[in-house]
Amino acid sequence: MRYDVVVVGGGPSGATAAEDLARSGHNVALLDRAGRIKPCGGAVPPRLIADFHIPDAQIVAKINTARMISPTNRRVDIPIENGYVGMVDRENFDEFLRVRAVEAGATRLTGTFTRIEREDEGPVVIYRDKATKEETRVAAKLVIGADGARSNVARAEVPGGDKIPYVIAYHEIIEAPGKVGSYDPERCDVVYDGRISPDFYGWVFPHGKSASVGMGSMVKDVDLKKATADLRESSGLTDCTTIRREGAPIPLKPLDRWDNGKDVVLAGDAAGVVAPSSGEGIYYAMVGGRVAATAAAACLASGRVKDLQLARKLFMREHKNVFKILGAMQDAYYKSDERRERFVSLCHDVDVQRLTFEAYMNKSLVKARPLAHIKIGIKNIAHLTGLIPATRA
């Protein structure tokens, strides 16, 4: 049996690609390494919930406020107007997506990808079966690589796939109390402090009965566990029971190329589609899976391998500008505690708050208030040049 598509990786991106292809009538296999849970704050915006038909049962908490915390412990609370940010637990959310793909008609395979070989008819995915521990071969017409930031599929098949920049993220899922210390089960805390992360940020995100406390960094000698322990202490969460600990790379930049020009296309973290500055990945991973499925379906229908390029083209057409602006923000404000202090100070501005969350909730740049954009641009320059003191409220 030769599948139309074998999807390697069963996270949000791979599961979405498999479901979309199965629903459109294609014969799809979804290969997943069971048991792996990615460290993730778990935030999902309303557009994801709507676009991907996520039931309310998967939303373990509804957040109405985001708190930005600076190196000097300045705290800026940003209300989330006209809605909420949903929180999911990746252990259950990812499995829900995989099960939904199977219910749509995908075949689920459980094992660890090792390599791709080729026959006259097309690629053959080789994986080590979890149950038998033996190498198993599954033939396909096309392969979607959705196997994470240090993707083995990307490294072996796509030019430049081994050169993706990333931060190492680490978090601890803990049993969450009610309101205690500075912890609020209806608020996400984002900590911009070089003592927690010298080049990224830390987070305390409620998950209903649990919470995700973690951080990320590109600096190799940062003690991730100590930084997370410090974050727990500052939030009053030291004595909470730890449920599990997880670490993994998070990519910082989309790859310049997502396909190998013949039979492989990348999706999600494997393609580098995590938003700079925020590190947000679930929404972009699922969009990446959807555009990879669209490209694969087009290629199968037309026989033109050039159609695999549609995945990157469709994604960047909608999200390129957002990624560019978020990348510029990270470059400008994450370099030092003095810059981080200025960034949190800038977050006091009501225009910044409204435009930031409108863009986050809707996943597009807001064009309705051009004067607000001009004001923000001027204030941004003033903060970066020091015309506005970093300590000013």
Side-chain angles (χ1 to χ4, degrees):
M1 179 178 178
R2 182 173 296 275
Y3 290 94
D4 291 329
V5 182
V6 171
V7 181
V8 179
S13 185
T16 299
E19 181 189 357
D20 281 7
L21 285 165
R23 290 195 186 282
S24 63
H26 294 91
N27 194 9
V28 186
L30 176 62
L31 172 62
D32 180 60
R33 187 176 67 188
R36 178 183 179 276
I37 309 169
K38 180 183 174 181
C40 177
V44 293
R47 182 169 173 184
L48 181 151
I49 295 169
D51 285 1
F52 297 96
H53 308 289
I54 304 303
D56 196 61
Q58 285 297 317
I59 307 302
V60 296
K62 296 181 179 180
I63 302 304
N64 57 33
T65 306
R67 171 172 285 181
M68 308 299 174
I69 303 174
S70 78
T72 62
N73 205 34
R74 173 201 299 269
R75 302 179 180 193
V76 179
D77 286 358
I78 304 176
I80 299 168
E81 300 176 350
N82 303 317
Y84 63 88
V85 174
M87 306 301 294
V88 298
D89 190 315
R90 291 291 297 272
E91 180 179 19
N92 300 316
F93 182 69
D94 289 17
E95 180 63 12
F96 160 77
L97 295 175
R98 289 189 286 266
V99 169
R100 192 165 71 172
V102 172
E103 291 173 347
T107 298
R108 185 169 178 178
L109 308 173
T110 304
T112 303
F113 169 83
T114 58
R115 65 190 183 277
I116 294 175
E117 295 180 355
R118 285 179 172 79
E119 300 173 345
D120 291 342
E121 295 84 0
V124 177
V125 173
I126 316 297
Y127 71 97
R128 188 167 298 279
D129 187 275
K130 184 177 182 180
T132 66
K133 310 300 181 185
E134 296 180 355
E135 280 200 347
T136 304
R137 302 168 64 87
V138 56
K141 297 175 183 176
L142 298 173
V143 176
I144 292 177
D147 52 333
R150 289 186 288 200
S151 163
N152 290 322
V153 175
R155 189 160 35 237
E157 295 290 333
V158 177
D162 58 340
K163 296 180 174 61
I164 189 168
Y166 58 86
V167 301
I168 295 296
Y170 172 80
H171 80 160
E172 296 174 0
I173 296 293
I174 64 173
E175 290 183 359
K179 286 188 176 183
V180 64
S182 65
Y183 177 78
D184 186 331
E186 294 184 349
R187 188 190 68 229
C188 284
D189 291 358
V190 185
V191 181
Y192 299 98
D193 187 340
R195 291 167 295 186
I196 299 299
S197 172
D199 58 341
F200 207 55
Y201 63 82
W203 68 81
V204 180
F205 285 2
H207 285 184
K209 295 180 180 179
S210 63
S212 166
V213 184
M215 50 78 69
S217 178
M218 292 181 68
V219 180
K220 293 182 180 180
D221 59 356
V222 168
D223 189 332
L224 305 179
K225 293 184 178 180
K226 182 181 184 305
T228 302
D230 292 343
L231 193 53
R232 286 180 63 168
E233 181 179 8
S234 66
S235 301
L237 301 173
T238 297
D239 295 332
C240 295
T241 300
T242 301
I243 299 171
R244 64 179 191 265
R245 300 177 175 88
E246 294 145 2
I250 296 178
L252 290 177
K253 183 181 179 182
L255 290 174
D256 292 333
R257 183 169 176 177
W258 292 9
D259 70 280
N260 68 349
K262 51 186 176 182
D263 51 23
V264 173
V265 63
L266 304 177
D269 283 11
V273 291
V274 172
S277 180
S278 69
E280 183 194 358
I282 301 177
Y283 171 77
Y284 294 111
M286 295 179 75
V287 172
R290 177 151 289 173
V291 295
T294 299
C299 180
L300 290 168
S302 69
R304 297 189 302 263
V305 295
K306 188 175 181 180
D307 285 345
L308 294 178
Q309 296 176 15
L310 282 172
R312 191 178 191 280
K313 289 179 179 178
L314 290 172
F315 185 93
M316 299 306 284
R317 181 183 299 168
E318 183 169 2
H319 301 293
K320 177 177 66 176
N321 289 335
V322 171
F323 272 52
K324 184 184 295 185
I325 290 172
L326 290 176
M329 285 179 57
Q330 182 167 334
D331 290 342
Y333 286 110
Y334 286 19
K335 293 181 181 299
S336 68
D337 272 355
E338 191 272 339
R339 289 287 184 93
R340 283 184 274 268
E341 195 71 40
R342 291 185 180 280
F343 174 68
V344 175
S345 179
L346 182 63
C347 290
H348 275 287
D349 188 274
V350 173
D351 288 321
V352 171
Q353 294 179 11
R354 287 177 176 170
L355 289 179
T356 297
F357 272 92
E358 284 179 20
Y360 171 78
M361 304 283 264
N362 300 304
K363 285 294 166 276
S364 61
L365 295 178
V366 181
K367 300 177 182 178
R369 293 196 296 274
L371 288 178
H373 282 281
I374 294 171
K375 285 170 60 181
I376 289 171
I378 294 171
K379 292 173 183 177
N380 194 43
I381 293 170
H383 275 276
L384 287 173
T385 57
L387 293 175
I388 297 177
T391 57
R392 178 178 169 183

